[in-house]
Amino acid sequence: MCNQKIPMPTEAEKQRAIARILDVSLSPRPSLGRELLETLRAVGVPVLFFGTWDCLALSLLIWALSLLPALVLAGSTGSLAPALFLFSPLLYAALSLLTGWKDLQTGLWEWTWTFRVSARMVAALRMLGFGGVSVLLCVPANWALWLLTGQERSFGWMLALSLASLFLYGALSLLCQRLRGPAGWLAAPVCWVLLGLVPLIWPRAAEWLTAVPTVVFCLLAAAGITMYLLELRRFCRRPMEGGVSYAFR
């Protein structure tokens, strides 16, 4: 064995290291937008969505197949509003659930705790990516439904309802993630399905939903995205907690 002594830092080097640590800890924290941008630059898009492409493909397939049930529900209720309200967040919900389940099975979420970047920032960037994809696909989906239903309602009204539903679900999903364990991910879709069944079961609720003007749905969409961003900030600022039981948090 080598008998060389391991060089130890001098007292001056120790004091300089302590001073650097204190400077970093006491310096004001950058804004969330800046932290997210720095994380994206450090990680890169390929690494950010590593291992999620199969989840994306399956989610897109589920979302595309949901157009037929949406048309069936529209025909049975006589209105597109209940179907749009229920199915608009489907892609975002499927992406969140499938990637969360896969990360839990592979241990990828706990593996990200070893990164030099925040695992919560990585998760937040994924959520924003999933949300962006869902918003972009809302337009062609509503356009297709608008044509298939004989242009019964205005395209703007349908799009406003879909975006309001999507943003409100996104805010609800982040609120539910305050719960511990898998319940934090499962509570939002369960609550949304139960809420979406109300206008399907109760015709009066379907009539009320259909009568809501476009401007109200636009205001709801604005409120939903505002709550989503506020909850996303809280999600990123929440301290990490170890343990397998917290793998979904």
Side-chain angles (χ1 to χ4, degrees):
M1 294 180 63
C2 182
N3 294 324
Q4 293 181 355
K5 293 183 178 180
I6 299 175
M8 300 298 292
T10 63
E11 188 62 30
E13 290 173 336
K14 292 179 182 178
Q15 293 300 324
R16 286 196 295 268
I18 293 172
R20 285 196 298 269
I21 294 172
L22 290 175
D23 289 340
V24 172
S25 61
L26 296 177
S27 60
R29 192 168 185 176
S31 64
L32 178 60
R34 182 177 176 183
E35 284 190 84
L36 289 172
L37 184 59
E38 290 176 352
T39 303
L40 181 60
R41 288 173 177 172
V43 175
V45 175
V47 176
L48 180 64
F49 294 100
F50 175 77
T52 64
W53 303 112
D54 52 346
C55 298
L56 176 60
L58 183 57
S59 299
L60 286 172
L61 178 61
I62 294 172
W63 172 80
L65 293 177
S66 70
L67 292 178
L68 181 58
L71 289 173
V72 173
L73 288 176
S76 62
T77 59
S79 173
L80 264 175
L84 286 176
F85 180 79
L86 180 61
F87 286 105
S88 292
L90 178 60
L91 179 59
Y92 182 85
L95 282 169
S96 300
L97 289 173
L98 289 175
T99 53
W101 176 79
K102 184 175 181 180
D103 288 350
L104 179 63
Q105 296 298 313
T106 59
L108 184 63
W109 179 243
E110 291 185 345
W111 176 55
T112 58
W113 296 355
T114 63
F115 291 175
R116 295 185 63 183
V117 297
S118 169
R120 289 199 180 278
M121 292 296 172
V122 173
L125 285 170
R126 278 187 176 185
M127 293 179 195
L128 290 173
F130 295 159
V133 171
S134 301
V135 170
L136 289 176
L137 290 180
C138 258
V139 178
N142 278 275
W143 182 263
L145 289 173
W146 184 62
L147 295 176
L148 291 172
T149 55
Q151 306 175 12
E152 176 186 347
R153 298 299 302 262
S154 70
F155 176 71
W157 178 86
M158 293 173 57
L159 186 60
L161 171 55
S162 293
L163 293 178
S165 175
L166 174 60
F167 294 149
L168 289 174
Y169 175 83
L172 176 64
S173 66
L174 282 172
L175 279 169
C176 290
Q177 286 189 37
R178 299 185 183 190
L179 302 173
R180 294 182 178 180
W185 288 87
L186 297 176
V190 171
C191 292
W192 194 262
V193 168
L194 294 176
L195 185 62
L197 289 176
V198 174
L200 296 176
I201 298 174
W202 189 23
R204 185 70 178 272
E207 294 174 2
W208 177 84
L209 188 63
T210 305
V212 175
T214 305
V215 64
V216 175
F217 285 131
C218 291
L219 292 174
L220 288 174
I225 196 170
T226 301
M227 290 189 295
Y228 180 81
L229 293 176
L230 290 175
E231 280 299 313
L232 189 68
R233 183 181 186 278
R234 183 186 182 280
F235 172 82
C236 292
R237 298 299 192 222
R238 192 168 63 219
M240 291 295 296
E241 300 178 11
V244 176
S245 61
Y246 299 106
F248 274 93
R249 292 193 64 181

